[in-house]
Amino acid sequence: MVSQADRANSRRRQPRRRGSASGAGKPRMRTVRETSAGGLVVDGLDGPKEGRSAALIGRTDRRGRLLWSLPKGHIEAGETAEQTAIREVAEETGINGVVVDELGSIDYWFVTEGRRVHKTVHHYLLRCVGGELSDADVEVTQVAWVPLSELNSRLAYADERRLAEVANKLIDRMETGKR
């Protein structure tokens, strides 16, 4: 005779499948990992606080809404995350920058073209060193210089708003020489 505890233990050892029994015939979705980099490029870092602004990109989503975010893109073979951030900022905004510091990373999941994607994006604070604001990149609907004080209300994604706060703290420390 098998006890209840033995039955429970034998069930625990059985591999469990996610989802309902009705989905048993569906093929499993392939999971891929992607890594990107981008950044917050700031103009006026050496000037007064109220004169500082960041270049943001606006993309139109599937519902037709314009969502403002930080420029970012895939890391290409042989590139470091910092090099990618500089390149992607230039490609998507027209602004040239140099990396000042690391802001942090964001990771998230999404489904596209029949696969699940786990994406990690490394972000950097960049100092504007030239260029001209341009929305020439086909992936970008609009670009704009946005005062740092308005980033919290303009950025569409909470994780990017958190990175903007990190950037503001870094800039404050740079100003006071506490770095």
Side-chain angles (χ1 to χ4, degrees):
M1 183 167 193
V2 178
S3 71
Q4 281 186 325
D6 289 337
R7 274 195 301 269
N9 283 333
S10 71
R11 278 193 299 265
R12 269 189 220 126
R13 290 187 205 115
Q14 301 297 323
R16 294 184 181 175
R17 289 190 150 266
R18 289 186 190 183
S20 66
S22 65
K26 293 181 183 176
R28 290 193 63 176
M29 202 176 295
R30 186 170 61 107
T31 299
V32 297
R33 297 189 191 291
E34 293 182 359
T35 307
S36 293
L40 182 70
V41 60
V42 177
D43 189 28
L45 272 178
D46 298 323
K49 198 173 204 166
E50 58 278 355
R52 296 179 188 145
S53 56
L56 299 185
I57 60 169
R59 293 184 175 157
T60 305
D61 72 359
R62 292 179 191 149
R63 296 180 184 158
R65 299 174 299 180
L66 184 65
L67 302 178
W68 291 95
S69 64
L70 302 178
K72 61 190 156 295
H74 292 283
I75 297 175
E76 294 182 1
E79 235 179 9
T80 66
E82 292 90 348
Q83 290 168 331
T84 300
I86 291 166
R87 177 181 53 77
E88 287 292 338
V89 164
E91 286 177 5
E92 294 188 350
T93 68
I95 302 302
N96 300 315
V98 295
V99 172
V100 174
D101 210 334
E102 187 175 348
L103 292 177
S105 299
I106 295 172
D107 78 311
Y108 53 94
W109 292 84
F110 61 95
V111 174
T112 184
E113 300 171 357
R115 59 193 176 110
R116 290 178 354 149
V117 179
H118 182 205
K119 185 165 197 154
T120 301
V121 185
H122 304 286
H123 288 87
Y124 298 88
L125 174 62
L126 289 87
R127 175 188 308 273
C128 172
V129 293
E132 191 172 312
L133 206 58
S134 168
D135 62 1
D137 189 300
V138 295
E139 297 177 4
V140 175
T141 306
Q142 288 184 34
V143 293
W145 283 112
V146 176
L148 293 189
S149 60
E150 295 177 20
L151 290 179
N152 200 38
S153 63
R154 186 76 70 98
L155 287 167
Y157 305 106
D159 286 340
E160 290 189 355
R161 291 191 296 271
R162 181 184 52 80
L163 292 176
E165 290 174 19
V166 170
N168 279 317
K169 289 176 184 172
L170 284 171
I171 294 167
D172 287 346
R173 275 190 288 214
M174 287 168 39
E175 234 176 14
T176 58
K178 293 180 185 172
R179 268 184 71 108

